[in-house]
Each structure stands twice: as structure tokens, then as C-alpha cells.
Amino acid sequence: MPHDPFLGDRVFVYGTLRRGFVNNAATVAFRAGASFVAEGRLPGALYSTGWYPALVEDGSGAEVRGEVWELATPGLMHVLDDYEGLFEEGPPEYRRLRRAVRTDAGPVEAWTYVYLHPVDPLQRIRSGDWADAFNPV
């Protein structure tokens, strides 16, 4: 098998890929093929699109809460890109970008998926935590 350039890379997830959320084929494959590193925070605003969250880099000073995971299985980044719709026809919803994520142990560099479409301001999750979309304060 060819070398996977993403092995050992870290990914910041802030929605359905986090622990305790959806258990479909992609989330099961992700959790089985990656190792949890730490909880983290990334600058940006979080919005609900209805079924899943959208991280928007808006310069507001707000933060999005999520988790950092390290990829340990070849091909897993491809699974994530597919899950986030990067291979679908038409304009993608997300772009995968490297960002500095704040953790209690210090900053780490990780890939994350940034939403590319307009969002409804009324659907903003003020806390920056996708779990709050299910348990409003």
C-alpha cells in the first residue's frame, strides 16, 4: 500500500464526529482509526445547518469547542473528506484547512473543515459547542 501522507496528522472535529454523537459508518471508521488527543478550541463561530454544524471563520473573537484526534489508519483522511462532501458534484460545503487549535496542553496544528456557504444568523450557537444545539441553556 502506498504511503499515506496524512498518517499522524491531527484533525479538529467540532460536530457529529465528536465522541458521543452520530454512530454511522464514517463516525465509526473515524473513531476506530484515530486516537483522541485533547479537547480544543478554534477561533470562529458555530452555526446549525439543521442536521450538522458549520464552523465559520468570522474574526469575531468567538471560539468553537471540539476535539483533536490523530489519524492512525491509512486512508482515513479520504473517509473524512468524503463524509464532509468534498468529493460531491457541485460546489463543496466545506474546505479542509490547517489551523492552530488551543488545548490545555498548548497549541496544536490540526486539519479542520470550514463552512463555505452563507449561514443563518438566527442559527448561531453562541456557546460554540455543538452539544448545546441539543441541550439549549
Short mmCIF file of all heavy atoms in Angstrom, two decimals, residues 23-82:
data_model
loop_
_atom_site.label_atom_id
_atom_site.label_comp_id
_atom_site.label_asym_id
_atom_site.label_seq_id
_atom_site.Cartn_x
_atom_site.Cartn_y
_atom_site.Cartn_z
N ASN A 23 -23.40 7.69 15.23
CA ASN A 23 -22.62 6.48 15.00
C ASN A 23 -23.00 5.87 13.66
O ASN A 23 -23.59 4.81 13.59
CB ASN A 23 -22.83 5.47 16.13
CG ASN A 23 -22.04 5.82 17.35
OD1 ASN A 23 -20.89 6.22 17.25
ND2 ASN A 23 -22.64 5.69 18.51
N ASN A 24 -22.62 6.54 12.57
CA ASN A 24 -22.82 5.95 11.24
C ASN A 24 -21.48 5.38 10.78
O ASN A 24 -20.50 5.39 11.53
CB ASN A 24 -23.38 6.98 10.26
CG ASN A 24 -22.47 8.17 10.10
OD1 ASN A 24 -21.25 8.06 10.19
ND2 ASN A 24 -23.05 9.33 9.84
N ALA A 25 -21.39 4.88 9.57
CA ALA A 25 -20.17 4.22 9.09
C ALA A 25 -18.95 5.13 9.16
O ALA A 25 -17.87 4.71 9.54
CB ALA A 25 -20.38 3.71 7.67
N ALA A 26 -19.11 6.40 8.81
CA ALA A 26 -17.97 7.33 8.82
C ALA A 26 -17.50 7.63 10.23
O ALA A 26 -16.30 7.65 10.50
CB ALA A 26 -18.33 8.62 8.10
N THR A 27 -18.43 7.86 11.16
CA THR A 27 -18.00 8.16 12.53
C THR A 27 -17.38 6.95 13.20
O THR A 27 -16.41 7.07 13.94
CB THR A 27 -19.17 8.72 13.38
OG1 THR A 27 -20.22 7.78 13.43
CG2 THR A 27 -19.67 10.03 12.86
N VAL A 28 -17.90 5.76 12.91
CA VAL A 28 -17.33 4.53 13.48
C VAL A 28 -15.92 4.33 12.91
O VAL A 28 -14.97 4.03 13.65
CB VAL A 28 -18.24 3.32 13.20
CG1 VAL A 28 -17.55 2.02 13.54
CG2 VAL A 28 -19.54 3.46 13.99
N ALA A 29 -15.76 4.50 11.60
CA ALA A 29 -14.44 4.34 10.98
C ALA A 29 -13.46 5.37 11.53
O ALA A 29 -12.30 5.05 11.80
CB ALA A 29 -14.56 4.49 9.46
N PHE A 30 -13.92 6.60 11.72
CA PHE A 30 -13.05 7.65 12.25
C PHE A 30 -12.56 7.30 13.64
O PHE A 30 -11.36 7.33 13.92
CB PHE A 30 -13.79 8.99 12.25
CG PHE A 30 -13.02 10.09 12.93
CD1 PHE A 30 -11.86 10.58 12.38
CD2 PHE A 30 -13.47 10.63 14.12
CE1 PHE A 30 -11.14 11.60 13.00
CE2 PHE A 30 -12.78 11.65 14.75
CZ PHE A 30 -11.60 12.13 14.19
N ARG A 31 -13.48 6.96 14.53
CA ARG A 31 -13.09 6.67 15.92
C ARG A 31 -12.24 5.41 16.03
O ARG A 31 -11.38 5.31 16.90
CB ARG A 31 -14.32 6.58 16.79
CG ARG A 31 -14.96 7.96 16.95
CD ARG A 31 -16.06 7.98 18.00
NE ARG A 31 -16.90 9.13 17.74
CZ ARG A 31 -18.19 9.06 17.49
NH1 ARG A 31 -18.82 7.92 17.48
NH2 ARG A 31 -18.88 10.16 17.25
N ALA A 32 -12.46 4.45 15.13
CA ALA A 32 -11.66 3.22 15.15
C ALA A 32 -10.27 3.45 14.57
O ALA A 32 -9.33 2.74 14.92
CB ALA A 32 -12.36 2.12 14.37
N GLY A 33 -10.13 4.45 13.70
CA GLY A 33 -8.86 4.67 13.01
C GLY A 33 -8.07 5.87 13.47
O GLY A 33 -7.07 6.23 12.87
N ALA A 34 -8.53 6.51 14.54
CA ALA A 34 -7.83 7.70 15.06
C ALA A 34 -7.78 7.61 16.58
O ALA A 34 -8.55 6.88 17.20
CB ALA A 34 -8.56 8.97 14.62
N SER A 35 -6.86 8.37 17.16
CA SER A 35 -6.72 8.40 18.61
C SER A 35 -7.07 9.79 19.13
O SER A 35 -6.58 10.81 18.61
CB SER A 35 -5.27 8.10 19.00
OG SER A 35 -4.89 6.84 18.53
N PHE A 36 -7.90 9.82 20.17
CA PHE A 36 -8.25 11.08 20.81
C PHE A 36 -7.00 11.69 21.42
O PHE A 36 -6.23 11.01 22.09
CB PHE A 36 -9.32 10.85 21.88
CG PHE A 36 -9.66 12.09 22.66
CD1 PHE A 36 -10.49 13.05 22.13
CD2 PHE A 36 -9.13 12.28 23.93
CE1 PHE A 36 -10.80 14.19 22.84
CE2 PHE A 36 -9.43 13.42 24.66
CZ PHE A 36 -10.27 14.38 24.11
N VAL A 37 -6.80 13.00 21.19
CA VAL A 37 -5.63 13.70 21.72
C VAL A 37 -6.04 14.62 22.86
O VAL A 37 -5.50 14.54 23.96
CB VAL A 37 -4.91 14.51 20.61
CG1 VAL A 37 -3.80 15.37 21.19
CG2 VAL A 37 -4.40 13.58 19.52
N ALA A 38 -7.01 15.52 22.59
CA ALA A 38 -7.39 16.51 23.61
C ALA A 38 -8.65 17.25 23.16
O ALA A 38 -8.98 17.28 21.98
CB ALA A 38 -6.26 17.52 23.81
N GLU A 39 -9.29 17.86 24.12
CA GLU A 39 -10.34 18.81 23.79
C GLU A 39 -9.65 20.10 23.35
O GLU A 39 -8.53 20.39 23.79
CB GLU A 39 -11.24 19.04 24.99
CG GLU A 39 -12.05 17.80 25.32
CD GLU A 39 -13.06 18.01 26.44
OE1 GLU A 39 -13.23 19.16 26.89
OE2 GLU A 39 -13.64 17.01 26.86
N GLY A 40 -10.32 20.85 22.48
CA GLY A 40 -9.69 22.06 21.97
C GLY A 40 -10.68 23.14 21.60
O GLY A 40 -11.90 22.93 21.63
N ARG A 41 -10.12 24.29 21.25
CA ARG A 41 -10.90 25.45 20.86
C ARG A 41 -10.24 26.11 19.64
O ARG A 41 -9.01 26.22 19.58
CB ARG A 41 -10.98 26.45 22.01
CG ARG A 41 -11.71 25.87 23.22
CD ARG A 41 -11.49 26.65 24.50
NE ARG A 41 -10.12 26.86 24.92
CZ ARG A 41 -9.30 25.94 25.44
NH1 ARG A 41 -9.71 24.70 25.58
NH2 ARG A 41 -8.08 26.24 25.82
N LEU A 42 -11.08 26.54 18.73
CA LEU A 42 -10.60 27.16 17.50
C LEU A 42 -11.35 28.46 17.27
O LEU A 42 -12.56 28.51 17.46
CB LEU A 42 -10.86 26.19 16.33
CG LEU A 42 -10.30 26.53 14.98
CD1 LEU A 42 -8.77 26.50 15.01
CD2 LEU A 42 -10.80 25.53 13.96
N PRO A 43 -10.66 29.54 16.88
CA PRO A 43 -11.37 30.79 16.61
C PRO A 43 -12.42 30.61 15.52
O PRO A 43 -12.16 29.96 14.50
CB PRO A 43 -10.27 31.74 16.13
CG PRO A 43 -9.01 31.17 16.69
CD PRO A 43 -9.23 29.67 16.71
N GLY A 44 -13.59 31.17 15.74
CA GLY A 44 -14.66 31.11 14.75
C GLY A 44 -16.02 31.07 15.40
O GLY A 44 -16.13 31.06 16.63
N ALA A 45 -17.04 31.07 14.58
CA ALA A 45 -18.42 30.99 15.05
C ALA A 45 -19.03 29.69 14.56
O ALA A 45 -18.66 29.19 13.49
CB ALA A 45 -19.22 32.18 14.53
N LEU A 46 -19.95 29.15 15.35
CA LEU A 46 -20.59 27.88 15.02
C LEU A 46 -22.07 28.11 14.74
O LEU A 46 -22.74 28.81 15.49
CB LEU A 46 -20.40 26.90 16.18
CG LEU A 46 -20.74 25.44 15.89
CD1 LEU A 46 -19.78 24.87 14.84
CD2 LEU A 46 -20.66 24.61 17.16
N TYR A 47 -22.55 27.49 13.67
CA TYR A 47 -23.95 27.60 13.26
C TYR A 47 -24.53 26.21 13.05
O TYR A 47 -23.83 25.28 12.68
CB TYR A 47 -24.07 28.39 11.95
CG TYR A 47 -23.66 29.82 12.09
CD1 TYR A 47 -22.32 30.19 11.99
CD2 TYR A 47 -24.60 30.81 12.33
CE1 TYR A 47 -21.92 31.51 12.13
CE2 TYR A 47 -24.21 32.13 12.47
CZ TYR A 47 -22.88 32.47 12.37
OH TYR A 47 -22.49 33.77 12.52
N SER A 48 -25.82 26.10 13.25
CA SER A 48 -26.53 24.87 12.92
C SER A 48 -27.06 24.98 11.51
O SER A 48 -27.64 26.00 11.14
CB SER A 48 -27.69 24.64 13.89
OG SER A 48 -28.44 23.52 13.47
N THR A 49 -26.86 23.94 10.71
CA THR A 49 -27.45 23.89 9.38
C THR A 49 -28.72 23.04 9.41
O THR A 49 -29.32 22.79 8.38
CB THR A 49 -26.47 23.31 8.35
OG1 THR A 49 -26.23 21.95 8.69
CG2 THR A 49 -25.18 24.08 8.30
N GLY A 50 -29.08 22.57 10.58
CA GLY A 50 -30.22 21.68 10.75
C GLY A 50 -29.77 20.35 11.30
O GLY A 50 -30.11 19.97 12.40
N TRP A 51 -28.96 19.62 10.51
CA TRP A 51 -28.52 18.28 10.92
C TRP A 51 -27.07 18.23 11.36
O TRP A 51 -26.63 17.25 11.92
CB TRP A 51 -28.72 17.29 9.78
CG TRP A 51 -30.15 17.11 9.46
CD1 TRP A 51 -30.82 17.64 8.39
CD2 TRP A 51 -31.12 16.41 10.23
NE1 TRP A 51 -32.13 17.29 8.45
CE2 TRP A 51 -32.36 16.53 9.58
CE3 TRP A 51 -31.07 15.69 11.42
CZ2 TRP A 51 -33.51 15.96 10.05
CZ3 TRP A 51 -32.23 15.12 11.89
CH2 TRP A 51 -33.43 15.26 11.21
N TYR A 52 -26.30 19.25 11.04
CA TYR A 52 -24.87 19.24 11.34
C TYR A 52 -24.40 20.69 11.49
O TYR A 52 -25.06 21.62 11.06
CB TYR A 52 -24.08 18.50 10.26
CG TYR A 52 -24.39 18.96 8.85
CD1 TYR A 52 -23.69 20.01 8.28
CD2 TYR A 52 -25.40 18.35 8.11
CE1 TYR A 52 -23.98 20.45 6.99
CE2 TYR A 52 -25.69 18.77 6.83
CZ TYR A 52 -24.97 19.82 6.28
OH TYR A 52 -25.27 20.24 5.02
N PRO A 53 -23.24 20.87 12.11
CA PRO A 53 -22.75 22.21 12.38
C PRO A 53 -21.91 22.79 11.24
O PRO A 53 -21.41 22.05 10.38
CB PRO A 53 -21.90 22.03 13.63
CG PRO A 53 -21.33 20.66 13.46
CD PRO A 53 -22.43 19.85 12.80
N ALA A 54 -21.74 24.08 11.29
CA ALA A 54 -20.92 24.80 10.32
C ALA A 54 -20.01 25.76 11.06
O ALA A 54 -20.48 26.66 11.75
CB ALA A 54 -21.81 25.56 9.34
N LEU A 55 -18.69 25.56 10.94
CA LEU A 55 -17.71 26.47 11.52
C LEU A 55 -17.42 27.54 10.48
O LEU A 55 -17.09 27.23 9.34
CB LEU A 55 -16.43 25.71 11.87
CG LEU A 55 -15.33 26.50 12.56
CD1 LEU A 55 -14.46 25.57 13.40
CD2 LEU A 55 -14.46 27.29 11.61
N VAL A 56 -17.55 28.80 10.91
CA VAL A 56 -17.29 29.93 10.03
C VAL A 56 -16.20 30.77 10.67
O VAL A 56 -16.30 31.14 11.84
CB VAL A 56 -18.58 30.77 9.82
CG1 VAL A 56 -18.29 32.01 9.00
CG2 VAL A 56 -19.67 29.93 9.17
N GLU A 57 -15.18 31.08 9.89
CA GLU A 57 -14.11 31.96 10.38
C GLU A 57 -14.56 33.39 10.13
O GLU A 57 -14.55 33.86 9.00
CB GLU A 57 -12.80 31.65 9.67
CG GLU A 57 -12.30 30.25 9.97
CD GLU A 57 -11.02 29.91 9.26
OE1 GLU A 57 -10.94 30.13 8.03
OE2 GLU A 57 -10.10 29.43 9.92
N ASP A 58 -14.97 34.06 11.22
CA ASP A 58 -15.58 35.38 11.06
C ASP A 58 -14.81 36.51 11.72
O ASP A 58 -15.21 37.66 11.63
CB ASP A 58 -17.02 35.35 11.57
CG ASP A 58 -17.11 35.09 13.06
OD1 ASP A 58 -16.07 34.83 13.71
OD2 ASP A 58 -18.23 35.14 13.59
N GLY A 59 -13.73 36.21 12.42
CA GLY A 59 -12.95 37.25 13.07
C GLY A 59 -13.64 37.92 14.24
O GLY A 59 -13.22 38.98 14.70
N SER A 60 -14.69 37.28 14.79
CA SER A 60 -15.47 37.89 15.87
C SER A 60 -14.81 37.75 17.23
O SER A 60 -15.24 38.36 18.20
CB SER A 60 -16.86 37.27 15.93
OG SER A 60 -16.77 35.91 16.36
N GLY A 61 -13.79 36.91 17.34
CA GLY A 61 -13.18 36.64 18.64
C GLY A 61 -13.83 35.48 19.37
O GLY A 61 -13.37 35.09 20.44
N ALA A 62 -14.90 34.93 18.81
CA ALA A 62 -15.57 33.77 19.41
C ALA A 62 -14.73 32.52 19.16
O ALA A 62 -13.81 32.52 18.34
CB ALA A 62 -16.97 33.61 18.82
N GLU A 63 -15.06 31.44 19.89
CA GLU A 63 -14.36 30.17 19.72
C GLU A 63 -15.35 29.03 19.56
O GLU A 63 -16.45 29.07 20.09
CB GLU A 63 -13.47 29.87 20.93
CG GLU A 63 -12.27 30.76 21.04
CD GLU A 63 -11.36 30.33 22.16
OE1 GLU A 63 -11.86 29.98 23.26
OE2 GLU A 63 -10.14 30.34 21.95
N VAL A 64 -14.91 28.02 18.82
CA VAL A 64 -15.67 26.80 18.62
C VAL A 64 -14.98 25.71 19.43
O VAL A 64 -13.76 25.56 19.38
CB VAL A 64 -15.72 26.43 17.13
CG1 VAL A 64 -16.36 25.06 16.92
CG2 VAL A 64 -16.46 27.50 16.34
N ARG A 65 -15.79 24.95 20.19
CA ARG A 65 -15.25 23.85 21.01
C ARG A 65 -15.32 22.55 20.23
O ARG A 65 -16.28 22.30 19.50
CB ARG A 65 -16.05 23.74 22.29
CG ARG A 65 -15.88 24.97 23.18
CD ARG A 65 -16.56 24.81 24.48
NE ARG A 65 -16.01 23.60 25.12
CZ ARG A 65 -16.49 23.09 26.24
NH1 ARG A 65 -17.50 23.64 26.85
NH2 ARG A 65 -15.95 22.01 26.75
N GLY A 66 -14.30 21.72 20.42
CA GLY A 66 -14.28 20.44 19.74
C GLY A 66 -13.21 19.55 20.31
O GLY A 66 -12.79 19.70 21.46
N GLU A 67 -12.75 18.62 19.48
CA GLU A 67 -11.77 17.63 19.90
C GLU A 67 -10.68 17.49 18.84
O GLU A 67 -10.95 17.59 17.65
CB GLU A 67 -12.44 16.26 20.08
CG GLU A 67 -13.52 16.25 21.12
CD GLU A 67 -14.31 14.94 21.15
OE1 GLU A 67 -14.15 14.09 20.23
OE2 GLU A 67 -15.09 14.78 22.10
N VAL A 68 -9.48 17.23 19.30
CA VAL A 68 -8.35 16.95 18.41
C VAL A 68 -8.10 15.44 18.43
O VAL A 68 -8.02 14.83 19.50
CB VAL A 68 -7.08 17.71 18.86
CG1 VAL A 68 -5.90 17.35 17.96
CG2 VAL A 68 -7.34 19.22 18.88
N TRP A 69 -7.99 14.86 17.24
CA TRP A 69 -7.72 13.44 17.06
C TRP A 69 -6.51 13.28 16.14
O TRP A 69 -6.29 14.10 15.26
CB TRP A 69 -8.93 12.75 16.42
CG TRP A 69 -10.13 12.65 17.30
CD1 TRP A 69 -10.96 13.67 17.68
CD2 TRP A 69 -10.64 11.47 17.90
NE1 TRP A 69 -11.96 13.19 18.47
CE2 TRP A 69 -11.79 11.84 18.63
CE3 TRP A 69 -10.24 10.14 17.88
CZ2 TRP A 69 -12.54 10.92 19.34
CZ3 TRP A 69 -11.00 9.22 18.59
CH2 TRP A 69 -12.13 9.61 19.31
N GLU A 70 -5.77 12.19 16.34
CA GLU A 70 -4.62 11.89 15.49
C GLU A 70 -4.96 10.70 14.60
O GLU A 70 -5.41 9.65 15.08
CB GLU A 70 -3.40 11.57 16.35
CG GLU A 70 -2.15 11.40 15.53
CD GLU A 70 -0.92 11.29 16.40
OE1 GLU A 70 -0.71 12.20 17.25
OE2 GLU A 70 -0.18 10.30 16.25
N LEU A 71 -4.71 10.86 13.30
CA LEU A 71 -5.03 9.83 12.32
C LEU A 71 -4.00 8.69 12.40
O LEU A 71 -2.80 8.93 12.33
CB LEU A 71 -5.04 10.40 10.91
CG LEU A 71 -6.02 11.56 10.68
CD1 LEU A 71 -5.94 12.05 9.24
CD2 LEU A 71 -7.44 11.16 11.04
N ALA A 72 -4.49 7.46 12.56
CA ALA A 72 -3.60 6.31 12.72
C ALA A 72 -3.85 5.22 11.69
O ALA A 72 -3.17 4.19 11.70
CB ALA A 72 -3.78 5.73 14.13
N THR A 73 -4.80 5.43 10.79
CA THR A 73 -5.16 4.42 9.80
C THR A 73 -5.03 4.99 8.39
O THR A 73 -5.56 6.08 8.12
CB THR A 73 -6.62 3.95 10.02
OG1 THR A 73 -6.73 3.43 11.34
CG2 THR A 73 -7.03 2.90 9.02
N PRO A 74 -4.33 4.29 7.49
CA PRO A 74 -4.23 4.77 6.11
C PRO A 74 -5.60 4.95 5.48
O PRO A 74 -6.51 4.16 5.70
CB PRO A 74 -3.45 3.64 5.40
CG PRO A 74 -2.72 2.93 6.48
CD PRO A 74 -3.61 3.03 7.70
N GLY A 75 -5.75 6.03 4.73
CA GLY A 75 -6.99 6.30 4.01
C GLY A 75 -8.05 7.01 4.83
O GLY A 75 -9.11 7.35 4.30
N LEU A 76 -7.80 7.26 6.10
CA LEU A 76 -8.83 7.85 6.94
C LEU A 76 -9.17 9.29 6.55
O LEU A 76 -10.32 9.70 6.61
CB LEU A 76 -8.44 7.77 8.42
CG LEU A 76 -9.53 8.09 9.43
CD1 LEU A 76 -10.78 7.25 9.20
CD2 LEU A 76 -9.02 7.88 10.84
N MET A 77 -8.18 10.06 6.10
CA MET A 77 -8.48 11.43 5.67
C MET A 77 -9.42 11.41 4.47
O MET A 77 -10.32 12.24 4.36
CB MET A 77 -7.20 12.20 5.33
CG MET A 77 -7.46 13.67 5.02
SD MET A 77 -8.09 14.62 6.43
CE MET A 77 -6.54 15.01 7.23
N HIS A 78 -9.25 10.43 3.60
CA HIS A 78 -10.16 10.28 2.46
C HIS A 78 -11.59 10.02 2.94
O HIS A 78 -12.55 10.57 2.40
CB HIS A 78 -9.68 9.15 1.54
CG HIS A 78 -10.48 9.01 0.31
ND1 HIS A 78 -10.28 9.77 -0.81
CD2 HIS A 78 -11.53 8.19 0.02
CE1 HIS A 78 -11.16 9.43 -1.74
NE2 HIS A 78 -11.93 8.47 -1.27
N VAL A 79 -11.73 9.18 3.97
CA VAL A 79 -13.05 8.90 4.56
C VAL A 79 -13.65 10.20 5.10
O VAL A 79 -14.84 10.49 4.87
CB VAL A 79 -12.95 7.84 5.67
CG1 VAL A 79 -14.26 7.71 6.44
CG2 VAL A 79 -12.54 6.49 5.09
N LEU A 80 -12.85 11.00 5.80
CA LEU A 80 -13.34 12.26 6.35
C LEU A 80 -13.72 13.24 5.24
O LEU A 80 -14.77 13.89 5.32
CB LEU A 80 -12.29 12.90 7.26
CG LEU A 80 -11.95 12.13 8.53
CD1 LEU A 80 -10.83 12.83 9.29
CD2 LEU A 80 -13.17 11.95 9.41
N ASP A 81 -12.88 13.36 4.23
CA ASP A 81 -13.19 14.26 3.11
C ASP A 81 -14.50 13.85 2.43
O ASP A 81 -15.32 14.70 2.06
CB ASP A 81 -12.06 14.26 2.09
CG ASP A 81 -10.84 15.03 2.56
OD1 ASP A 81 -10.90 15.74 3.60
OD2 ASP A 81 -9.79 14.92 1.89
N ASP A 82 -14.70 12.55 2.28
CA ASP A 82 -15.95 12.06 1.68
C ASP A 82 -17.14 12.40 2.58
O ASP A 82 -18.18 12.86 2.11
CB ASP A 82 -15.84 10.56 1.44
CG ASP A 82 -17.05 10.00 0.71
OD1 ASP A 82 -17.47 10.61 -0.30
OD2 ASP A 82 -17.57 8.95 1.15
#
